[in-house]
Amino acid sequence: MKLKLKQLVKPLIFGLTISLFAFLITTFTTTNKKAAVAQPATPTITTDSVQQISLYDSMRLDTSGLSKEAFESALQGFEHLEEKGRIRNADVISIIDFSLPSARKRLFVIDLKNKLLLFNTLVSHGRNSGAANANTFSNKMNSFKSSLGFFVTGDTYIGEHGYSLRLEGEEEGINDNALSRGIVMHSAAYVNESLARSQGYIGRSLGCPAIPENIHRKVIERIRNGTCLFLYSPDKYYSAHTKILMKDSVKNI
């Protein structure tokens, strides 16, 4: 009788042990699956996005007043002109942000290679483009207005305003009359901070981006001979007519 009881108990214990072991394995596996499902997916970030974000943010260009839209548009056009072989010096890009009033320092010269803001200074707009703010723009002769868009810097010369820099307009119908209009970068006594403080805006030019006398030579020397200059404004006409910044056609131009 005792022998039969032992024979019955042993298989029962063995069966219970197997069941318990299976239960523990199943529970452990299910818990791991739930944890894996709950783990959030890591977002995919492209290298280009990281570089663009880090450049604007690491240089803290927002604190100097440069709008992100102006910066990103400038880089887009810069890349286009470089692909077309128009840029001879790709280390530097210059941006004039006409979304800012003339009393603000709205010329930004950026060293892309070393990620440095080299110059941030006052710059004029054309007298017929507006008083404190540049609101209207033109490519026409004797309009005395500023032209928007992308330029490539040319050579230097000594002219009516002293040491000056020729600018070649790269956008047909928008700024390609720059050379014939005599649109150059030069110095002007009316571009100074004391005037900005006293009347709320600096003096205006005949369409040229004039800069302060005490810094003009350094700026011109740094950006001459084949760098990109972008004159930005949230202007609807320019946005509708520029081909360089047309997202769908940039790669096909």
Side-chain angles (χ1 to χ4, degrees), residues 137-151:
F137 308 92
S138 178
N139 189 40
K140 295 180 180 179
M141 298 290 294
N142 300 318
S143 66
F144 302 146
K145 293 183 179 182
S146 297
S147 297
L148 295 177
F150 289 90
F151 298 78

Side-chain angles (χ1 to χ4, degrees), residues 86-97:
R86 294 291 297 141
I87 303 298
R88 298 191 299 278
N89 180 357
D91 292 343
V92 177
I93 188 170
S94 304
I95 304 169
I96 296 176
D97 189 350

Side-chain angles (χ1 to χ4, degrees), residues 61 66-67 70-75 93-98 105-110 119-121 123 150 228-232:
L61 294 174
L66 178 62
S67 73
F71 178 73
E72 291 179 345
S73 296
L75 286 187
I93 188 170
S94 304
I95 304 169
I96 296 176
D97 189 350
F98 279 147
K105 295 180 178 181
R106 53 187 182 173
L107 169 61
F108 305 81
V109 179
I110 300 169
F119 301 99
N120 180 204
T121 188
V123 60
F150 289 90
C228 177
L229 169 65
F230 177 50
L231 274 63
Y232 166 81

Side-chain angles (χ1 to χ4, degrees), residues 7-217:
Q7 290 175 345
L8 291 173
V9 169
K10 285 182 178 180
L12 181 61
I13 293 173
F14 180 76
L16 290 173
T17 302
I18 293 298
S19 299
L20 179 60
F21 182 76
F23 173 78
L24 291 174
I25 291 296
T26 303
T27 303
F28 180 78
T29 303
T30 302
T31 302
N32 282 346
K33 286 182 178 180
K34 288 181 178 179
V37 172
Q39 184 69 26
T42 302
T44 301
I45 303 176
T46 64
T47 302
D48 290 342
S49 297
V50 171
Q51 290 177 344
Q52 190 176 85
I53 293 172
S54 63
L55 180 59
Y56 183 82
D57 293 338
S58 65
M59 292 181 64
R60 302 185 67 189
L61 294 174
D62 59 328
T63 63
S64 61
L66 178 62
S67 73
K68 192 169 186 179
E69 183 177 349
F71 178 73
E72 291 179 345
S73 296
L75 286 187
Q76 183 182 342
F78 167 84
E79 290 171 0
H80 169 77
L81 292 174
E82 189 175 24
E83 287 177 3
K84 301 290 285 185
R86 294 291 297 141
I87 303 298
R88 298 191 299 278
N89 180 357
D91 292 343
V92 177
I93 188 170
S94 304
I95 304 169
I96 296 176
D97 189 350
F98 279 147
S99 69
L100 300 173
S102 67
R104 295 279 301 276
K105 295 180 178 181
R106 53 187 182 173
L107 169 61
F108 305 81
V109 179
I110 300 169
D111 183 336
L112 294 174
K113 182 178 180 180
N114 298 303
K115 300 180 181 179
L116 297 171
L117 180 59
L118 300 176
F119 301 99
N120 180 204
T121 188
L122 298 170
V123 60
S124 71
H125 57 256
R127 71 186 188 193
N128 287 342
S129 282
N133 291 80
N135 298 313
T136 61
F137 308 92
S138 178
N139 189 40
K140 295 180 180 179
M141 298 290 294
N142 300 318
S143 66
F144 302 146
K145 293 183 179 182
S146 297
S147 297
L148 295 177
F150 289 90
F151 298 78
V152 172
T153 60
D155 60 353
T156 59
Y157 68 99
I158 305 297
E160 179 183 352
H161 301 284
Y163 191 59
S164 305
L165 174 66
R166 292 187 174 91
L167 304 175
E168 301 175 30
E170 296 295 318
E171 302 202 56
E172 185 178 357
I174 295 175
N175 61 23
D176 58 338
N177 286 332
L179 288 176
S180 58
R181 290 179 62 201
I183 302 301
V184 301
M185 181 175 285
H186 61 77
S187 68
Y190 55 74
V191 182
N192 65 77
E193 293 187 27
S194 60
L195 189 60
R197 287 192 298 268
S198 64
Q199 68 178 20
Y201 56 91
I202 60 175
R204 293 160 292 170
S205 66
L206 299 183
C208 297
I211 57 179
E213 293 177 317
N214 64 347
I215 199 174
H216 83 284
R217 182 169 287 274

